[in-house]
Amino acid sequence: MVSRETSAQKTAAAPGDSAGVRDGDWPRPAKTRIFTVANQKGGVGKTTTSVNLAAALSMHGQRVLVVDLDPQGNASTALAVEHRGDVPDMYKVLVENLPLAEVVKEVPDMPGLYCAPATIDLAGAEIELVSMVAREARLQRALAAYDAVTFDYILIDCPPSLGLLTVNALMAANELLIPIQCEYYALEGLGQLLRNVDLVRAHLNPTLDLSTILMTMYDGRTRLASQVAEEVRSHFGATVLSTLIPRSVRVSEAPSYGQSVMTYDPGSSGAMAYMDAAREIAYRAVTV
């Protein structure tokens, strides 16, 4: 049974807003914010974070695109976007130069939320991209050719690896969001990710900014979770969002119903936490 008290983590009140208020549209950014959601460690909540932040933002007046770059296609599943069989997907965009406009689909019953799905074909893209010219910039070019300025946010969900799909995502983004699990091995492998980010900055995308770190799977009953959260904050300071995402059965259940937790159980601790995290991100666009 999920403990509702885990939602007791508070976010700082948004400028001109009172804590806990979730109504109304949030300020739209001056230009499209493209986030790559990456961490080569599996099971830290990359897809869950991408889907639920996107849903929360769209519920508050933002136009949001989720680009599914994980061959498992879990983001596509959670957003109820067809991604099996011969459905046009991100593999065809990256490898076969299909225009992104032919892939993007509106998410059912979620106005303003769109998804570019992934199928299992994407698993072969890592190998096929190796021999291609400008292989690291395929996604960037696809987004540039697409009318991406119509979106306020683009969230790119990466596979749990540091291969060419993730490099394409880092090349295409202007911001990096890293979900970090509140567990003992939280920082394990993070150094390698940050070294790769530095390489991408130095050689491919100098504008890439590690703007956001989100602590996930927080269990307030354990001292370890608090210690990990403190350690991450001591390393990364204001880059870490105030909101902590609690462990929540509802968050795990939602994708099996083709929904984000934001619509599956809006009153759950997980939904409220992702709403608060999305609000933080939206208001950071005003102050940054």
Side-chain angles (χ1 to χ4, degrees), residues 84-106:
R84 292 176 179 82
D86 296 327
V87 172
D89 73 321
M90 287 307 299
Y91 170 84
K92 291 182 171 64
V93 171
L94 294 176
V95 177
E96 299 179 4
N97 296 313
L98 185 70
L100 193 57
E102 296 186 29
V103 170
V104 172
K105 300 289 186 290
E106 187 165 12

Side-chain angles (χ1 to χ4, degrees), residues 28-35 63-65 143 146-155 172-175 285:
R28 298 176 67 181
K31 64 176 183 178
T32 305
R33 298 178 71 186
I34 305 177
F35 283 89
R63 287 177 59 82
V64 188
L65 170 64
L143 286 172
Y146 184 63
D147 191 14
V149 293
T150 60
F151 293 105
D152 299 301
Y153 293 85
I154 298 174
L155 280 74
N174 45 41
E175 298 185 57

Side-chain angles (χ1 to χ4, degrees), residues 175-190:
E175 298 185 57
L176 172 62
L177 189 160
I178 304 178
I180 298 181
Q181 192 175 359
C182 291
E183 293 198 350
Y184 182 71
Y185 294 115
L187 300 177
E188 187 180 73
L190 192 58

Side-chain angles (χ1 to χ4, degrees), residues 9-15 17-20 241-243 276-277 279-280 283-284:
Q9 297 74 258
K10 303 294 184 184
T11 30
D17 200 7
S18 58
L241 294 182
S242 301
T243 304
D276 288 342
R279 189 202 293 111
E280 276 195 81
Y283 277 93
R284 281 187 175 194

Side-chain angles (χ1 to χ4, degrees), residues 36-43 46-47 67-73 122-123 126 156-167 169 193:
T36 284
V37 183
N39 189 333
Q40 80 272 23
K41 192 174 186 298
K46 288 185 294 295
T47 297
V67 176
D68 193 350
L69 274 196
D70 189 342
Q72 296 177 84
L122 198 56
E126 294 274 6
I156 306 170
D157 183 36
C158 294
S161 71
L162 293 176
L164 275 171
L165 290 176
T166 299
V167 170
L193 172 59

